Amino acid sequence: MRKNSIKNTRINGEVLRELSNIIRGDIKDPRIHPMTSVVTVEVAPDLKTCKAYISVLGDEEAQKNTLLGLKSAEGYIRRALARSINLRNTPQITFILDQSIEYGVRMSKMIDDVTKDLHEDSMEESAPESLAEEYAAEDSDVE
């Protein structure tokens, strides 16, 4: 089975869905932040290993605690995954912190700040220097 085969893509999607359900509903570890999501899953073609990219909406401490909690519950998660998905081998799961969502939000905020500054600068340039100049311009137009 090739890495990007249709079968491997379907297995990745199924493992992603079940892993999300297990993390969201079955694990009661208080270290795992409630805003934890599984971004993507890469199951090896031989079904022996799996990389699960996890995103945690929170500060750095919450991310670190969530990874520790998931690593300690790895056996339980693997057993629950084996019960819910019928695979020849249940993959050994490695949790990796994915910060791409946080990076995207930060970049979007920076872009918004720059465009807001540019918009304010253009508004200042088009505005008259003082109200007196504005009224003088209006008086000269009337005459």
Side-chain angles (χ1 to χ4, degrees), residues 18 23 37 46 61 82 93 99 101 141-142:
E18 289 301 324
I23 290 173
S37 61
D46 63 354
E61 186 67 27
I93 303 169
Q99 297 179 336
I101 294 174
D141 290 339
V142 173

Side-chain angles (χ1 to χ4, degrees), residues 78-104:
R78 188 174 181 198
R79 189 168 50 250
L81 193 63
R83 275 190 239 124
S84 62
I85 298 178
N86 186 18
L87 292 174
R88 183 178 337 118
N89 297 319
T90 304
Q92 181 70 35
I93 303 169
T94 304
F95 293 103
I96 301 169
L97 186 63
D98 183 27
Q99 297 179 336
S100 62
I101 294 174
E102 180 183 334
Y103 177 76

